[in-house]
Amino acid sequence: MNISVDDARVMAKALFEARATGRPIPPFTDGRPTLDVHDGYAVQRELVTLLTATGDTVVGYKAGLTSVPMQELFGVSTPDYGPVLGSTVYENGATAPGDAFIAPKVEAEIVFRLGAPLKGPGVTVAEAREAIAEVMAGLEIVDSRIEDWRIKLADTVADLASNGAVVLGPPVALPDDCDVRLIGMAFSRNGDLVATGAGAAALGDPAAVVAWLANVLGEHGVTLETGQLIMTGALHAAVPMRPGDSFVAEFDRLGTVTLHLGGIDGTGDSGTPDGSGDNSDS
């Protein structure tokens, strides 16, 4: 690492305040161009400590950079990850308050809920599949507390992998012969089709994302726990969000998940997270 624990805490505090105030901060890598992914995770851990001290909970994990084009953009060969916080999980059809975000974009992805714990290293894709209890259509709002999305890898990792919020469709127990790689998806904004995708866009197999997360987190002594959510990565390029927009992702076998973005003054009919993760924090 290129930074001290004290440096990581200072950076985490800056991100914590940016989340609270809605005022983005300059990229850390502007002033410290040598910051690497290990530094980013050091800041992320300190930020999670600050957030959980306020009563928030970690209810799962998200993987980012799961597609080859995004990895090439950041000059990496593996995904990154961040926690999913209980305060950011919304129910299907919710209206998220526009002023809860700085520069939001939205992605459709396949979401799993674990029925058994997984602890790496050494977790195989087959073992990951066995541990999955439910599959859901999902939408992730990605947001950046870094000004104008001018992020490099260390910046986005520090900022909880740019996680903003999660919307979950109804849970589905898929038959054993269902290949999640082949689950297709059509994504619309305000009734207009804007993207399509399939499960294989996420690291070639969404179940492989679960195994990857279990193994990477296991190196730090962290177990993926029963009941936790796993966001497996975008199936298409992120779509910018504007106040008043409505988004619908229609998945083969998984059904439909819907999200509305309210006004910047917080208007909207249902901006409250569903609290679905309150009983499964780690």
Side-chain angles (χ1 to χ4, degrees):
M1 286 196 339
N2 297 304
I3 58 173
S4 67
V5 172
D6 286 343
D7 286 340
R9 288 173 178 165
V10 169
M11 294 179 185
K13 181 68 179 216
L15 286 169
F16 182 83
E17 291 176 351
R19 295 174 70 92
T21 64
R23 293 192 292 269
I25 61 176
F28 296 129
T29 51
D30 275 3
R32 296 172 177 255
T34 61
L35 287 180
D36 61 21
V37 67
H38 303 291
D39 299 314
Y41 283 120
V43 177
Q44 183 186 113
R45 288 190 292 271
E46 296 295 334
L47 178 56
V48 171
T49 297
L50 291 173
L51 292 166
T52 54
T54 68
D56 215 333
T57 56
V58 175
V59 299
Y61 291 88
K62 64 154 289 185
L65 308 181
T66 53
S67 68
V68 172
M70 287 303 295
Q71 290 177 10
E72 291 176 344
L73 179 64
F74 280 87
V76 298
S77 57
T78 62
D80 66 354
Y81 67 85
V84 175
L85 300 173
S87 65
T88 69
V89 181
Y90 288 78
E91 62 187 18
N92 193 11
T95 296
D99 57 3
F101 311 102
I102 295 173
K105 304 178 184 182
V106 63
E107 306 168 340
E109 47 192 275
I110 292 171
V111 184
F112 296 127
R113 192 183 296 277
L114 297 182
L118 285 171
K119 185 171 184 179
V123 173
T124 67
V125 175
E127 290 169 336
R129 289 195 188 103
E130 284 293 318
I132 294 167
E134 296 175 339
V135 190
M136 291 159 277
L139 294 174
E140 181 186 4
I141 297 177
V142 290
D143 195 21
S144 184
R145 276 57 61 170
I146 305 298
E147 290 176 347
D148 302 321
W149 280 98
R150 292 190 297 113
I151 51 173
K152 294 183 179 178
L153 184 60
D155 298 306
T156 185
V157 167
D159 190 20
L160 306 190
S162 301
N163 195 11
V166 174
V167 183
L168 302 175
V172 176
L174 293 180
D176 292 339
D177 62 353
C178 178
D179 190 340
V180 291
R181 300 175 305 165
L182 306 182
I183 291 177
M185 183 279 307
F187 186 59
S188 301
R189 176 177 59 196
N190 302 328
D192 296 324
L193 183 68
V194 291
T196 59
L203 210 61
D205 182 346
V209 177
V210 180
W212 178 84
L213 272 169
N215 291 327
V216 170
L217 289 169
E219 294 174 357
H220 301 284
V222 177
T223 299
L224 293 180
E225 303 288 356
T226 300
Q228 285 190 327
L229 299 171
I230 306 297
M231 307 287 295
T232 61
L235 306 184
H236 59 93
V239 177
M241 305 178 75
R242 300 162 302 199
D245 280 346
S246 293
F247 299 89
V248 178
E250 301 168 279
F251 285 77
D252 179 37
R253 294 186 177 238
L254 303 184
T256 298
V257 59
T258 302
L259 165 68
H260 313 284
L261 187 65
I264 59 174
D265 60 352
T267 57
D269 59 7
S270 176
T272 304
D274 71 0
S276 64
D278 290 351
N279 59 1
S280 59
D281 54 304
S282 63

